């Protein structure tokens, strides 16, 4: 078994990724001083997590992503995938085992959809029949009809369809790790929302580890298991789960970056089941919510309800409590307080 | 008799369609000289163009040299080619002509090939590399197929130029359709001269058409669709 087989060679489930004090310098300023694109980056991504790198443009998030598959090589520090330093692995073998999706999708215009998806399987020498079956499986997996899409060319697809094929292509050999650089950036908000939901669903089912770059904090909060907020100069200001980022921004910079509406954003990542609900009253009036409803949607409904109260039921329809404006307000108070 | 009538009479005279000075022989010679020249230029220009296009190294130097080459008149190449051919003991006619045509064709192919490869969307190249293609695979599976329409356009330009210029070969005792022009001039036989010129023009146009057919056959329909889609909004649009 070669070193690259060993790396990412496990059959199923996601990989662990670890950045150890990784820096990247470019020597190009007028006085010859090296410019840091990424400075002393350390973070760990557990198997099956989506780690979102978010920040303004030029903050080093894309550079960090590209160092994982060695499109860019670090100046110092180590990046380990399942404990193996990527710099010790042949870059070509490494990349063939890591899914890679970029914003512009990069579908090959001269190849059909089937040929595009087959790119990596062909590179690693899968038999033809296996490739054909896998291609159809993947087109269906991203919600398109294999029979009518297989032989089309990228120019015959809409923006959203191209993004889906881009994701399908990156998943062709079931990589335990996906690198995604603003993969949903080039489509309209409605399509983006649908693609995000489908991707989340897919990612959870397959247990992939994902490194995801975006400049959109809302996307980061929605998709991230953990979110790394980058600031200018290539350092991480905070690395936490989205709820914590919203509730306890580590610095003023993070607070500004997540936005003054972060109380509302926080509601979007909480479920009614997470709230301290009032006991069920005999009245039992108002709208009925599933316990899985996100608090933001519940709040929107309560604002329109006559008595500003609603009943929360569990998955079998049994009432488990009552949600009111007060219940919701008390859940976000810490956030409101920290705004001062 | 008008000159055009004389040309027509010359062209339709069956005597001119036979023997070593007949039209079929001259066309065959012309195509052979042109074909050999284009082939040699291709062997030199294509790999070099692909290499500097892919690596972007040595591009400035190469393109500058090529542009100087392009500025030189073909007659000058022939003037250089003749002594070179003698020095190499290759004699008159065929080889001096080829030696003059090859440097004419190389810049057209090389500069186009280089520009075509450089023109490939960098995102495609990065996607290819990011998926684990080796450099040769990036070039062969992505850059060349995507750049193919422009690469072929360069070869077509070169081939048409070579077919038109191969006429000069007659000045150094070569064969080809240029014979009719040079001999026509020398004998003040203007019907012959003009017939030769017309045949050269027809052969150039045929070459052009042949390359259009080749392009149609080897370029992916995906790229054609791409171009048509891009071209559509312009059709009839206000400029």
């Amino acid at each position: 078994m070669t070193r690259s087989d060993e790396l990412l060679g496990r059959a199923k489930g996601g990989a662990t990724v670890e950045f150890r004090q990784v820096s990247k310098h470019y020597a190009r300023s007028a006085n010859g001083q090296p410019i840091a694109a990424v400075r002393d980056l350390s973070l760990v991504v557990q198997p099956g997590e989506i780690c979102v790198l978010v920040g303004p443009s030029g903050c080093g998030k894309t550079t960090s992503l590209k160092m994982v598959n060695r499109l860019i090589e670090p100046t110092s520090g180590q990046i380990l995938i399942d404990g193996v330093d990527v710099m010790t692995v042949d870059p070509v073998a490494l990349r063939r085992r890591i899914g890679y999706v970029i914003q512009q999708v990069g579908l090959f215009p001269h190849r059909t959809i089937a040929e595009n998806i087959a790119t990596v399987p062909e590179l690693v020498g899968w038999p033809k029949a296996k490739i054909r079956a896998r291609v159809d499986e993947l087109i269906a997996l991203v919600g398109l009809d294999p029979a009518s899409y297989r032989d089309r060319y990228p120019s015959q697809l809409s923006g959203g369809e191209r993004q889906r094929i881009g994701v399908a292509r990156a998943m062709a050999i079931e990589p335990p790790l996906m690198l995604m650089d603003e993969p949903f950036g080039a489509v309209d908000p409605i399509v983006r929302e649908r693609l995000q939901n489908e991707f989340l669903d897919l990612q959870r089912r397959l247990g992939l580890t994902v490194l995801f770059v975006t400049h959109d904090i809302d996307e980061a909060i929605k998709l991230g298991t953990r979110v790394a907020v980058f600031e200018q100069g290539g350092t991480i200001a905070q690395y936490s789960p989205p709820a914590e980022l919203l509730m306890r921004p580590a610095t003023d910079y993070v607070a500004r970056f997540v936005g003054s509406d972060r109380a509302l954003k926080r509601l979007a990542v909480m479920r009614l089941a997470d709230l301290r609900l009032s006991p069920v009253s005999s009245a039992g009036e108002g709208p009925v919510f599933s316990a899985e409803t996100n608090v933001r949607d519940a709040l929107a409904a309560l604002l329109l309800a006559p008595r500003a109260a609603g009943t929360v039921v569990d998955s079998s329809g049994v009432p488990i409590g009552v949600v009111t404006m007060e219940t919701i307000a008390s859940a976000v108070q810490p956030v409101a307080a920290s705004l001062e | 008799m008008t000159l055009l009538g004389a040309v027509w009479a010359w062209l339709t005279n069956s005597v001119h369609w036979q023997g070593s000075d007949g039209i079929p022989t001259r066309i065959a010679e012309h195509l052979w000289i042109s074909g050999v020249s284009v082939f040699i230029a291709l062997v030199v220009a294509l790999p070099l163009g692909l290499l500097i296009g892919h690596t972007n190294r040595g591009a400035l130097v190469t393109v500058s040299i090529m542009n100087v080459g392009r500025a030189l008149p073909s007659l000058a190449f022939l003037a250089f080619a003749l002594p070179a051919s003698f020095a190499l003991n290759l004699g008159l006619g065929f080889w001096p002509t080829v030696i003059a045509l090859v440097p004419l064709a190389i810049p057209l192919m090389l500069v186009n090939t280089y520009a075509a490869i450089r023109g490939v969307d960098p995102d495609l190249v990065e996607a290819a590399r990011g998926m684990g293609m080796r450099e040769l695979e990036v070039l062969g599976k992505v850059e060349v197929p995507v750049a193919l329409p422009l690469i072929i356009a360069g070869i077509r330009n070169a081939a048409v130029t070579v077919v038109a210029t191969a006429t000069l070969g007659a000045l150094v005792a070569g064969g080809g359709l240029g014979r009719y022009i040079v001999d026509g001039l020398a004998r003040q036989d203007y019907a012959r001269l003009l017939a030769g010129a017309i045949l050269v023009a027809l052969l150039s146009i045929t070459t052009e058409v042949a390359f259009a057919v080749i392009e149609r056959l080897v370029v992916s329909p995906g790229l054609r669709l791409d171009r048509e889609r891009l071209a559509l909004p312009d059709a009839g649009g206000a400029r």
Side-chain angles (χ1 to χ4, degrees):
Chain A
M1 205 184 220
T2 67
R3 192 108 172 110
S4 55
D5 286 329
E6 202 178 300
L7 178 72
L8 302 175
R10 291 171 309 150
K12 279 277 157 10
T16 310
V17 181
E18 184 179 357
F19 286 74
R20 279 189 193 162
Q21 292 171 313
V22 175
S23 295
K24 175 67 189 178
H25 298 286
Y26 291 103
R28 59 161 185 192
S29 70
N31 57 8
Q33 283 294 104
I35 295 174
V38 175
R39 198 174 295 163
D40 209 23
L41 173 68
S42 294
L43 59 82
V44 178
V45 188
Q46 300 296 343
E49 283 189 351
I50 301 181
C51 168
V52 179
L53 313 179
V54 66
S57 52
C59 65
K61 53 193 196 296
T62 294
T63 305
S64 302
L65 189 80
K66 287 182 182 172
M67 285 193 285
V68 177
N69 66 358
R70 291 185 61 179
L71 285 174
I72 296 176
E73 305 205 331
T75 311
S76 62
Q78 283 184 310
I79 296 171
L80 310 175
I81 299 178
D82 287 339
V84 179
D85 185 344
V86 295
M87 293 306 290
T88 65
V89 183
D90 170 33
V92 167
L94 177 77
R95 291 170 194 155
R96 287 178 183 177
R97 287 156 190 273
I98 299 177
Y100 186 51
V101 189
I102 57 176
Q103 176 177 359
Q104 298 74 13
V105 193
L107 291 185
F108 303 132
H110 60 293
R111 293 177 159 220
T112 63
I113 298 313
E115 288 165 348
N116 263 286
I117 296 176
T119 305
V120 178
E122 270 170 13
L123 289 175
V124 300
W126 280 18
K128 285 235 159 28
K130 185 177 172 190
I131 294 180
R132 212 173 304 129
R134 180 68 179 148
V135 163
D136 281 3
E137 187 187 337
L138 282 160
I139 298 177
L141 191 72
V142 295
L144 299 173
D145 173 33
S148 70
Y149 280 85
R150 200 189 286 136
D151 298 322
R152 291 199 205 178
Y153 285 94
S155 56
Q156 295 168 300
L157 267 52
S158 72
E161 288 166 340
R162 263 178 264 172
Q163 300 278 358
R164 284 165 203 245
I165 298 302
V167 171
R169 183 174 70 172
M171 287 185 169
I173 58 161
E174 296 190 30
L177 174 62
M178 297 259 287
L179 306 178
M180 308 181 83
D181 192 351
E182 308 220 16
F184 309 133
V187 292
D188 66 71
I190 296 169
V191 176
R192 186 183 315 152
E193 167 119 32
R194 199 185 319 141
L195 289 176
Q196 286 169 345
N197 293 338
E198 288 173 3
F199 175 70
L200 265 182
D201 184 49
L202 205 59
Q203 184 270 339
R204 281 180 192 142
R205 260 192 292 155
L206 303 177
L208 298 169
T209 304
V210 178
L211 257 75
F212 192 107
V213 164
T214 180
H215 63 266
D216 176 359
I217 184 69
D218 294 311
E219 183 168 64
I221 287 167
K222 174 168 185 176
L223 297 181
T225 319
R226 279 168 209 277
V227 178
V229 181
F230 278 66
E231 53 191 332
Q232 288 302 344
T235 51
I236 288 187
Q238 186 168 359
Y239 182 48
S240 353
E244 201 182 318
L245 201 67
L246 293 167
M247 201 155 55
R248 283 185 288 277
T251 63
D252 286 348
Y253 169 79
V254 177
R256 269 200 314 278
F257 193 78
V258 296
S260 52
D261 62 339
R262 63 181 188 274
L264 283 173
K265 283 174 183 154
R266 168 137 171 73
L267 294 184
V269 298
M270 293 167 73
R271 300 164 308 142
L272 288 177
D274 301 331
L275 299 182
R276 204 172 294 131
L277 301 170
S278 318
V280 183
S281 67
S282 50
E285 273 181 48
V288 175
F289 302 110
S290 139
E292 295 302 311
T293 309
N294 82 56
V295 180
R296 185 182 194 152
D297 291 349
L299 177 65
L302 285 186
L303 287 171
L304 298 173
R307 290 182 46 199
T311 308
V312 181
V313 299
D314 66 13
S315 55
S316 50
V318 178
I320 55 169
V322 168
V323 59
T324 64
M325 298 292 223
E326 288 72 34
T327 328
I328 294 172
S330 67
V332 292
Q333 281 321 319
V335 180
S338 76
L339 272 172
E340 303 313 315
Chain B
M1 195 160 62
T2 64
L3 188 54
L4 274 181
V7 170
W8 180 251
W10 192 92
L11 280 173
T12 49
N13 185 342
S14 65
V15 175
H16 296 139
W17 288 87
Q18 292 154 16
S20 63
D21 193 35
I23 291 168
T25 313
R26 291 305 182 201
I27 287 181
E29 285 170 352
H30 202 100
L31 285 176
W32 176 239
I33 294 168
S34 307
V36 169
S37 305
V38 168
F39 178 77
I40 294 173
L42 204 60
V43 168
V44 176
L46 209 57
L48 201 58
L50 295 178
L51 182 76
I52 63 171
H54 180 74
T55 61
N56 205 21
R57 289 204 186 126
L60 188 68
V61 174
T62 315
V63 172
S64 303
I65 293 173
M66 290 300 127
N67 283 336
V68 171
R70 275 208 280 202
L72 291 176
S74 7
L75 212 53
F77 279 123
L78 196 61
F80 291 128
L82 205 53
S85 180
F86 284 138
L88 294 168
N89 240 341
L90 293 170
L92 272 174
F94 183 81
W95 283 110
T97 312
V98 170
I99 293 172
L101 290 176
V102 168
L104 187 70
I106 286 178
L108 293 171
M109 292 182 188
L110 202 156
V111 173
N112 244 56
T113 304
Y114 159 75
I117 296 290
R118 290 305 301 162
V120 173
D121 184 350
D123 289 328
L124 287 183
V125 175
E126 188 180 276
R129 207 168 275 141
M131 285 192 290
M133 286 193 190
R134 295 177 192 284
E135 291 308 303
L136 267 180
E137 289 168 333
V138 172
L139 185 65
K141 289 177 192 277
V142 178
E143 288 178 314
V144 169
V146 172
L148 206 52
L150 279 177
I151 295 176
I152 293 177
I155 301 172
R156 185 186 62 205
N157 266 348
V160 171
T161 307
V162 163
V163 167
T165 315
T167 318
L168 291 179
L171 290 177
V172 290
L177 293 167
R179 276 269 54 91
Y180 297 138
I181 298 174
V182 172
D183 295 349
L185 205 58
R187 299 181 205 165
Q188 300 196 327
D189 179 355
Y190 295 119
R192 173 180 291 259
L193 187 155
L194 213 56
I198 289 169
L199 289 169
V200 171
L202 286 176
L203 204 58
S204 299
I205 294 169
T206 310
T207 308
E208 180 101 28
V209 171
F211 273 94
V213 172
I214 292 174
E215 188 191 327
R216 193 90 191 166
L217 291 177
V218 300
V219 170
S220 157
L223 293 175
R224 211 159 49 229
L225 292 164
D226 221 18
R227 237 182 320 166
E228 280 161 13
R229 194 174 54 98
L230 291 174
L232 272 180
D234 276 351
R239 274 283 166 120

